[in-house]
Amino acid sequence: MSLLQEEQEFVVAAELGLHARPAGEFVTLAGRFEADIHVARGGAGAEWVSGRSVLSILSLAASRGTRIRIRAEGPDAARAVEALGRLIERPAPTG
Amino acid sequence: MKVGILLVSHYRLGEEMLQALRLIVPDGPPFYAVGINPEMGVDEMRAAISKGLDDADRGEGVLVLTDMFGGTPSNISLSFLGERRLEVVTGLNLPMLIKLATLGEEQPLEELAPFIKSYGQRNISLASELLPDDAS
């Protein structure tokens, strides 16, 4: 199994930003992929945090319009980044 | 998660925290809550916590999270030490619950308890020290 890496930047679309509930959704979704997932604010020198920790994602303090980088390493990296990016760019949480 | 989780608090604090947890982590493992109020007698409190421990226990012991060291919910919980396999961590907060609900790997009760104590302490923040300069 080859180790693939994928990294892309997305813009937070939801009015309330990346708050607790979507952060929980992000971690749940990230857990469905084999790839190792990390997240950082966009821009140089940003600190990468685990995509599997709700509190780490909340520590990014991402409000609407914040650029978020998602990096995945693993066999399903491309699918993981695509799915997680859709969640970041979703205007409002579902349900 | 094989270690059982039981919240023991004043009034419905624990139950309400579980409701907030379920909003953020809807499909986490089952946690249990017991509320203690001043109308209850000591025997009644012990019976309620004992039932909570039975509900939460899946054979690997129970991690009891209480709202404050020295409070009655904590003190009565502590009276079960030695009788049953449990650890009591006091001063519970939502970050601790989220971490417990999303833990990927199993840890025995005796390792989980000190881990979650320091995790709860680490996640008390002064927001102005934490926010990046460009966050608004």
Side-chain angles (χ1 to χ4, degrees), chain A residues 59-90:
Chain A
S59 75
L60 299 173
S63 53
R64 175 151 75 175
T66 300
R67 288 177 298 132
I68 292 291
R69 293 195 76 75
I70 301 174
R71 186 177 69 202
E73 289 165 309
D76 50 6
R79 282 198 299 122
V81 169
E82 190 202 339
L84 293 164
R86 270 204 304 272
L87 196 150
I88 297 289
E89 295 193 320
R90 203 178 58 195

mmCIF file of all heavy atoms in Angstrom, chain A residues 59-90:
data_model
loop_
_atom_site.group_PDB
_atom_site.id
_atom_site.type_symbol
_atom_site.label_atom_id
_atom_site.label_comp_id
_atom_site.label_asym_id
_atom_site.label_seq_id
_atom_site.Cartn_x
_atom_site.Cartn_y
_atom_site.Cartn_z
ATOM 1 N N SER A 59 -8.861 24.987 18.797
ATOM 2 C CA SER A 59 -7.757 25.896 19.129
ATOM 3 C C SER A 59 -7.315 26.714 17.916
ATOM 4 O O SER A 59 -6.599 27.701 18.056
ATOM 5 C CB SER A 59 -6.569 25.112 19.707
ATOM 6 O OG SER A 59 -5.890 24.414 18.677
ATOM 7 N N LEU A 60 -7.736 26.314 16.707
ATOM 8 C CA LEU A 60 -7.418 27.097 15.502
ATOM 9 C C LEU A 60 -8.205 28.410 15.473
ATOM 10 O O LEU A 60 -7.859 29.327 14.741
ATOM 11 C CB LEU A 60 -7.746 26.294 14.233
ATOM 12 C CG LEU A 60 -6.998 24.988 14.026
ATOM 13 C CD1 LEU A 60 -7.557 24.254 12.818
ATOM 14 C CD2 LEU A 60 -5.508 25.230 13.854
ATOM 15 N N ALA A 61 -9.266 28.494 16.284
ATOM 16 C CA ALA A 61 -10.111 29.705 16.367
ATOM 17 C C ALA A 61 -10.489 30.195 14.966
ATOM 18 O O ALA A 61 -10.293 31.351 14.608
ATOM 19 C CB ALA A 61 -9.399 30.809 17.149
ATOM 20 N N ALA A 62 -11.037 29.280 14.159
ATOM 21 C CA ALA A 62 -11.341 29.597 12.760
ATOM 22 C C ALA A 62 -12.741 30.190 12.633
ATOM 23 O O ALA A 62 -13.741 29.498 12.829
ATOM 24 C CB ALA A 62 -11.229 28.327 11.923
ATOM 25 N N SER A 63 -12.803 31.467 12.336
ATOM 26 C CA SER A 63 -14.093 32.115 12.096
ATOM 27 C C SER A 63 -14.389 32.086 10.595
ATOM 28 O O SER A 63 -13.577 31.616 9.801
ATOM 29 C CB SER A 63 -14.065 33.547 12.621
ATOM 30 O OG SER A 63 -12.951 34.220 12.086
ATOM 31 N N ARG A 64 -15.569 32.608 10.227
ATOM 32 C CA ARG A 64 -15.925 32.609 8.803
ATOM 33 C C ARG A 64 -14.865 33.390 8.019
ATOM 34 O O ARG A 64 -14.456 34.477 8.419
ATOM 35 C CB ARG A 64 -17.296 33.243 8.595
ATOM 36 C CG ARG A 64 -17.644 33.375 7.097
ATOM 37 C CD ARG A 64 -19.102 33.313 6.863
ATOM 38 N NE ARG A 64 -19.753 34.550 7.259
ATOM 39 C CZ ARG A 64 -21.049 34.808 7.069
ATOM 40 N NH1 ARG A 64 -21.800 33.904 6.475
ATOM 41 N NH2 ARG A 64 -21.579 35.923 7.458
ATOM 42 N N GLY A 65 -14.418 32.813 6.917
ATOM 43 C CA GLY A 65 -13.417 33.470 6.088
ATOM 44 C C GLY A 65 -11.982 33.046 6.395
ATOM 45 O O GLY A 65 -11.070 33.336 5.628
ATOM 46 N N THR A 66 -11.786 32.332 7.504
ATOM 47 C CA THR A 66 -10.442 31.837 7.842
ATOM 48 C C THR A 66 -10.036 30.751 6.843
ATOM 49 O O THR A 66 -10.840 29.886 6.498
ATOM 50 C CB THR A 66 -10.420 31.244 9.276
ATOM 51 O OG1 THR A 66 -10.782 32.253 10.199
ATOM 52 C CG2 THR A 66 -9.039 30.704 9.627
ATOM 53 N N ARG A 67 -8.784 30.842 6.377
ATOM 54 C CA ARG A 67 -8.278 29.786 5.487
ATOM 55 C C ARG A 67 -7.723 28.651 6.338
ATOM 56 O O ARG A 67 -6.970 28.873 7.281
ATOM 57 C CB ARG A 67 -7.194 30.346 4.569
ATOM 58 C CG ARG A 67 -7.769 31.274 3.489
ATOM 59 C CD ARG A 67 -6.675 31.880 2.631
ATOM 60 N NE ARG A 67 -5.774 32.693 3.433
ATOM 61 C CZ ARG A 67 -4.441 32.624 3.378
ATOM 62 N NH1 ARG A 67 -3.861 31.793 2.553
ATOM 63 N NH2 ARG A 67 -3.695 33.396 4.130
ATOM 64 N N ILE A 68 -8.140 27.435 6.001
ATOM 65 C CA ILE A 68 -7.754 26.235 6.756
ATOM 66 C C ILE A 68 -7.055 25.270 5.803
ATOM 67 O O ILE A 68 -7.575 24.973 4.727
ATOM 68 C CB ILE A 68 -9.012 25.543 7.348
ATOM 69 C CG1 ILE A 68 -9.651 26.412 8.436
ATOM 70 C CG2 ILE A 68 -8.687 24.163 7.887
ATOM 71 C CD1 ILE A 68 -8.835 26.541 9.707
ATOM 72 N N ARG A 69 -5.866 24.810 6.191
ATOM 73 C CA ARG A 69 -5.164 23.805 5.386
ATOM 74 C C ARG A 69 -5.441 22.423 5.980
ATOM 75 O O ARG A 69 -5.376 22.244 7.197
ATOM 76 C CB ARG A 69 -3.656 24.067 5.387
ATOM 77 C CG ARG A 69 -3.258 25.337 4.666
ATOM 78 C CD ARG A 69 -1.774 25.389 4.374
ATOM 79 N NE ARG A 69 -1.410 24.508 3.246
ATOM 80 C CZ ARG A 69 -1.661 24.779 1.973
ATOM 81 N NH1 ARG A 69 -2.300 25.886 1.642
ATOM 82 N NH2 ARG A 69 -1.286 23.947 1.031
ATOM 83 N N ILE A 70 -5.753 21.491 5.111
ATOM 84 C CA ILE A 70 -5.955 20.105 5.548
ATOM 85 C C ILE A 70 -4.895 19.249 4.861
ATOM 86 O O ILE A 70 -4.712 19.342 3.644
ATOM 87 C CB ILE A 70 -7.362 19.580 5.163
ATOM 88 C CG1 ILE A 70 -8.448 20.456 5.792
ATOM 89 C CG2 ILE A 70 -7.538 18.131 5.612
ATOM 90 C CD1 ILE A 70 -9.862 20.088 5.343
ATOM 91 N N ARG A 71 -4.189 18.467 5.654
ATOM 92 C CA ARG A 71 -3.166 17.574 5.096
ATOM 93 C C ARG A 71 -3.499 16.140 5.504
ATOM 94 O O ARG A 71 -3.768 15.873 6.677
ATOM 95 C CB ARG A 71 -1.781 17.941 5.642
ATOM 96 C CG ARG A 71 -0.642 17.152 4.997
ATOM 97 C CD ARG A 71 0.696 17.622 5.518
ATOM 98 N NE ARG A 71 0.860 17.252 6.914
ATOM 99 C CZ ARG A 71 1.709 17.860 7.744
ATOM 100 N NH1 ARG A 71 2.451 18.864 7.337
ATOM 101 N NH2 ARG A 71 1.814 17.454 8.987
ATOM 102 N N ALA A 72 -3.517 15.255 4.521
ATOM 103 C CA ALA A 72 -3.795 13.840 4.802
ATOM 104 C C ALA A 72 -2.653 12.997 4.246
ATOM 105 O O ALA A 72 -2.126 13.282 3.166
ATOM 106 C CB ALA A 72 -5.118 13.428 4.166
ATOM 107 N N GLU A 73 -2.272 11.995 5.016
ATOM 108 C CA GLU A 73 -1.232 11.065 4.582
ATOM 109 C C GLU A 73 -1.743 9.640 4.764
ATOM 110 O O GLU A 73 -2.031 9.229 5.895
ATOM 111 C CB GLU A 73 0.041 11.258 5.420
ATOM 112 C CG GLU A 73 0.768 12.558 5.116
ATOM 113 C CD GLU A 73 1.804 12.905 6.179
ATOM 114 O OE1 GLU A 73 1.437 12.895 7.364
ATOM 115 O OE2 GLU A 73 2.949 13.172 5.800
ATOM 116 N N GLY A 74 -1.847 8.917 3.648
ATOM 117 C CA GLY A 74 -2.363 7.550 3.712
ATOM 118 C C GLY A 74 -3.009 7.181 2.404
ATOM 119 O O GLY A 74 -3.143 8.016 1.507
ATOM 120 N N PRO A 75 -3.433 5.929 2.286
ATOM 121 C CA PRO A 75 -3.941 5.433 1.006
ATOM 122 C C PRO A 75 -5.162 6.202 0.488
ATOM 123 O O PRO A 75 -5.346 6.324 -0.717
ATOM 124 C CB PRO A 75 -4.297 3.972 1.294
ATOM 125 C CG PRO A 75 -4.331 3.839 2.787
ATOM 126 C CD PRO A 75 -3.395 4.882 3.320
ATOM 127 N N ASP A 76 -5.999 6.709 1.396
ATOM 128 C CA ASP A 76 -7.217 7.416 0.966
ATOM 129 C C ASP A 76 -7.087 8.933 1.191
ATOM 130 O O ASP A 76 -8.078 9.626 1.423
ATOM 131 C CB ASP A 76 -8.444 6.857 1.676
ATOM 132 C CG ASP A 76 -8.255 6.763 3.191
ATOM 133 O OD1 ASP A 76 -7.222 7.233 3.693
ATOM 134 O OD2 ASP A 76 -9.146 6.203 3.865
ATOM 135 N N ALA A 77 -5.862 9.450 1.107
ATOM 136 C CA ALA A 77 -5.599 10.859 1.418
ATOM 137 C C ALA A 77 -6.439 11.812 0.569
ATOM 138 O O ALA A 77 -7.026 12.764 1.091
ATOM 139 C CB ALA A 77 -4.113 11.158 1.242
ATOM 140 N N ALA A 78 -6.517 11.549 -0.736
ATOM 141 C CA ALA A 78 -7.232 12.472 -1.624
ATOM 142 C C ALA A 78 -8.717 12.533 -1.275
ATOM 143 O O ALA A 78 -9.304 13.610 -1.186
ATOM 144 C CB ALA A 78 -7.041 12.045 -3.076
ATOM 145 N N ARG A 79 -9.308 11.363 -1.037
ATOM 146 C CA ARG A 79 -10.731 11.319 -0.687
ATOM 147 C C ARG A 79 -10.982 12.012 0.655
ATOM 148 O O ARG A 79 -11.983 12.694 0.840
ATOM 149 C CB ARG A 79 -11.220 9.866 -0.620
ATOM 150 C CG ARG A 79 -11.471 9.249 -2.001
ATOM 151 C CD ARG A 79 -12.349 8.001 -1.891
ATOM 152 N NE ARG A 79 -11.713 6.973 -1.064
ATOM 153 C CZ ARG A 79 -12.253 6.447 0.031
ATOM 154 N NH1 ARG A 79 -13.445 6.834 0.437
ATOM 155 N NH2 ARG A 79 -11.621 5.522 0.717
ATOM 156 N N ALA A 80 -10.053 11.822 1.585
ATOM 157 C CA ALA A 80 -10.201 12.428 2.913
ATOM 158 C C ALA A 80 -10.196 13.952 2.818
ATOM 159 O O ALA A 80 -11.074 14.627 3.366
ATOM 160 C CB ALA A 80 -9.084 11.939 3.846
ATOM 161 N N VAL A 81 -9.229 14.494 2.089
ATOM 162 C CA VAL A 81 -9.122 15.952 1.987
ATOM 163 C C VAL A 81 -10.347 16.525 1.274
ATOM 164 O O VAL A 81 -10.893 17.554 1.681
ATOM 165 C CB VAL A 81 -7.814 16.351 1.270
ATOM 166 C CG1 VAL A 81 -7.816 17.835 0.924
ATOM 167 C CG2 VAL A 81 -6.619 16.016 2.149
ATOM 168 N N GLU A 82 -10.823 15.815 0.266
ATOM 169 C CA GLU A 82 -11.993 16.293 -0.465
ATOM 170 C C GLU A 82 -13.223 16.342 0.448
ATOM 171 O O GLU A 82 -13.936 17.348 0.509
ATOM 172 C CB GLU A 82 -12.253 15.360 -1.658
ATOM 173 C CG GLU A 82 -13.285 15.908 -2.619
ATOM 174 C CD GLU A 82 -13.922 14.806 -3.469
ATOM 175 O OE1 GLU A 82 -13.317 13.734 -3.598
ATOM 176 O OE2 GLU A 82 -15.035 15.047 -3.978
ATOM 177 N N ALA A 83 -13.453 15.255 1.185
ATOM 178 C CA ALA A 83 -14.640 15.182 2.045
ATOM 179 C C ALA A 83 -14.560 16.194 3.191
ATOM 180 O O ALA A 83 -15.545 16.880 3.508
ATOM 181 C CB ALA A 83 -14.782 13.763 2.611
ATOM 182 N N LEU A 84 -13.390 16.296 3.798
ATOM 183 C CA LEU A 84 -13.235 17.226 4.932
ATOM 184 C C LEU A 84 -13.291 18.677 4.449
ATOM 185 O O LEU A 84 -13.821 19.549 5.133
ATOM 186 C CB LEU A 84 -11.920 16.941 5.663
ATOM 187 C CG LEU A 84 -11.890 15.582 6.384
ATOM 188 C CD1 LEU A 84 -10.463 15.180 6.751
ATOM 189 C CD2 LEU A 84 -12.767 15.606 7.638
ATOM 190 N N GLY A 85 -12.777 18.908 3.261
ATOM 191 C CA GLY A 85 -12.838 20.254 2.690
ATOM 192 C C GLY A 85 -14.268 20.688 2.432
ATOM 193 O O GLY A 85 -14.634 21.842 2.646
ATOM 194 N N ARG A 86 -15.094 19.741 1.980
ATOM 195 C CA ARG A 86 -16.515 20.050 1.747
ATOM 196 C C ARG A 86 -17.178 20.500 3.047
ATOM 197 O O ARG A 86 -18.000 21.404 3.068
ATOM 198 C CB ARG A 86 -17.248 18.821 1.194
ATOM 199 C CG ARG A 86 -17.237 18.747 -0.332
ATOM 200 C CD ARG A 86 -18.417 17.921 -0.860
ATOM 201 N NE ARG A 86 -18.452 16.575 -0.307
ATOM 202 C CZ ARG A 86 -17.821 15.536 -0.819
ATOM 203 N NH1 ARG A 86 -17.098 15.681 -1.913
ATOM 204 N NH2 ARG A 86 -17.895 14.350 -0.259
ATOM 205 N N LEU A 87 -16.794 19.839 4.139
ATOM 206 C CA LEU A 87 -17.367 20.200 5.440
ATOM 207 C C LEU A 87 -16.941 21.630 5.832
ATOM 208 O O LEU A 87 -17.736 22.412 6.339
ATOM 209 C CB LEU A 87 -16.890 19.182 6.486
ATOM 210 C CG LEU A 87 -17.621 19.113 7.817
ATOM 211 C CD1 LEU A 87 -17.553 17.698 8.376
ATOM 212 C CD2 LEU A 87 -17.033 20.067 8.820
ATOM 213 N N ILE A 88 -15.685 21.970 5.591
ATOM 214 C CA ILE A 88 -15.177 23.322 5.916
ATOM 215 C C ILE A 88 -15.919 24.373 5.086
ATOM 216 O O ILE A 88 -16.222 25.467 5.574
ATOM 217 C CB ILE A 88 -13.657 23.404 5.620
ATOM 218 C CG1 ILE A 88 -12.863 22.429 6.493
ATOM 219 C CG2 ILE A 88 -13.141 24.841 5.784
ATOM 220 C CD1 ILE A 88 -12.780 22.788 7.936
ATOM 221 N N GLU A 89 -16.209 24.028 3.831
ATOM 222 C CA GLU A 89 -16.797 25.016 2.924
ATOM 223 C C GLU A 89 -18.327 25.018 2.957
ATOM 224 O O GLU A 89 -18.959 25.771 2.214
ATOM 225 C CB GLU A 89 -16.298 24.760 1.498
ATOM 226 C CG GLU A 89 -14.803 25.002 1.407
ATOM 227 C CD GLU A 89 -14.296 25.069 -0.007
ATOM 228 O OE1 GLU A 89 -14.773 24.267 -0.837
ATOM 229 O OE2 GLU A 89 -13.429 25.914 -0.272
ATOM 230 N N ARG A 90 -18.897 24.187 3.822
ATOM 231 C CA ARG A 90 -20.349 24.135 3.924
ATOM 232 C C ARG A 90 -20.834 25.385 4.676
ATOM 233 O O ARG A 90 -20.282 25.730 5.722
ATOM 234 C CB ARG A 90 -20.729 22.875 4.703
ATOM 235 C CG ARG A 90 -22.123 22.365 4.463
ATOM 236 C CD ARG A 90 -22.336 21.091 5.258
ATOM 237 N NE ARG A 90 -22.121 21.343 6.683
ATOM 238 C CZ ARG A 90 -21.953 20.391 7.582
ATOM 239 N NH1 ARG A 90 -21.931 19.125 7.226
ATOM 240 N NH2 ARG A 90 -21.781 20.694 8.855
#
